[in-house]
Amino acid sequence: MTDSLGTRDRRHLWHPFTQMADWERDEPLVIVSGKGCLLVDEDGREYLDGSSSIWVNLHGHRKPAVDRAIKRQLDRVAHTTFLGATNPPAVELAERLVELAPAGLSRVFYSDNGSTAVEIALKMAYQYWRQRRPAPRPEKRRFMHFRHAYHGDTVGAVSVGGIDLFHETFRGLMFPSTTVEFPYCYRCPWGKQPDTCNLHCVGDVQQALETNAHETAAFVVEPLVQGASGILSMPPGYLSAVADLCRRHEVLLIADEVATGFGRTGRMFACEHEAIQPDLMCLSKGLTAGYMPLAATLATEEIYRGFLGRYDEFRTFFHGHSYTGNPLGCAAALGSLEVFDTENVLEKIQPRITHLWRGVRRHLGDHPHVGDIRGRGLMVGIELVKDRATREPFPLEEQVGNRIGRVLRDLGILLRPIGSVLVLVPPLAMTRPQLTRLVTGVRTALDRVLDGGQ
Ligand SMILES: Cc1ncc(COP(=O)(O)O)c(C=O)c1O
């Protein structure tokens, strides 16, 4: 008899962001299929996909229009190089992205994942200033990022990351970047209250720009919601204030919409909520509705033109990947955008968003260990605390989030908590009854793990 898949997995595999000593002790979940917002394991048990398979899935699994788009492309060709050639889905997708993106973004550079989309934006910003015409500014070589930020795991993306637990180990490999405090209202770094603070936090960005703009190429920002730091959300008006300040100080604004893009916050892109126009924008995750690894970095014409010149001027952007412009990925993305159009997805999700937030407030708002509920659209973070009155956090070693995630799995719900923050990021297609099941399941798991909330 052959060994189980779980045993074979543990013999050879190494999983991301996973303490493998723990993994080796446990029986892994083996997902074999999916349909809509449900995933099915090898024993036929069904699970609600409460994290959209790590924030990528939009329209559910095995969505016919996306399946069809990929199959159609597969009947033509799976992959051809983007060096010296182009392909129909890549061209068509670029046109669609430019139509949908905030005004001013007119150029599309493809890659494979969120980290590379960010890496490319950083390198474009850096090189742009070095060779800008008519007045190059090579001294603008630093970056700015927020505390708690997460922009991916490649070395450049880590350099603009602000989660010490993930990033500190690699300090020696990283290039210098200026940290700006994030307006984490529940634990305001300036000790202010949201209703009376008058956006005190904007002053901090202003100061950082006044001090550093002369040597700063770009400020990397996740618009509205810092996802991987625990769905930390900006107060209203903050994002547009930051965008204005960047513009005034001649610092490029990189909008990392890897997590927030494609409807996740209730609009196609989070930038739209405050009508900001970034200079560079990073897309991945939902770009292919959770089907294929594909990413895009969008740039303004101004940045793009900075790279034009005679061959021997070597202004070229020397960057690329084997799978740049992959036709199957681009076809999947086109299939997804077709679903947005034909099914009025952005309209349809509004009542679902209202339903989700109502449910979260009703079923979780009064729990003695729920400290903060935050987020936007279909991105909800629930910060659990040991003591609601003092906001004392749970020590990381207690692994409260992981323990709750384990109980949820037994209840047929898959979530991926971040530390003590429960993160609900359902597919845009999750139905109202499924959303209710998700929220009530979280309440049950909370009560079980935290001893009836006592
Ligand atoms: C905002 C943001 N940027 C970048 C990334 C990195 O994306 P990837 O995991 O596809 O490299 C992530 C991943 O969670 C993200 O949330």
Side-chain angles (χ1 to χ4, degrees), residues 59 63-66 68-69 72 92-93 96 100 268 331-345:
H59 313 302
K63 181 77 183 170
V66 187
R68 257 195 319 271
R72 256 198 322 259
E92 204 184 319
L93 178 61
R96 293 288 285 121
L100 293 167
M268 186 56 99
L334 285 167
S336 169
L337 293 177
E338 182 193 319
V339 175
F340 270 100
D341 283 348
T342 54
E343 300 189 15
N344 287 327
V345 170

Side-chain angles (χ1 to χ4, degrees), residues 55 113-115 118 150-152 222 256 258-259 285:
W55 314 354
N113 59 69
S115 307
V118 170
Y150 177 77
H151 297 288
E222 264 189 274
D256 176 356
V258 168
K285 289 196 183 276

Side-chain angles (χ1 to χ4, degrees), residues 244-267:
D244 280 350
L245 283 168
C246 284
R247 188 85 56 217
R248 248 188 283 152
H249 286 87
E250 290 195 279
V251 166
L252 299 177
L253 180 65
I254 301 175
D256 176 356
E257 291 242 20
V258 168
T260 53
F262 300 100
R264 207 60 83 180
T265 65
R267 299 279 193 97

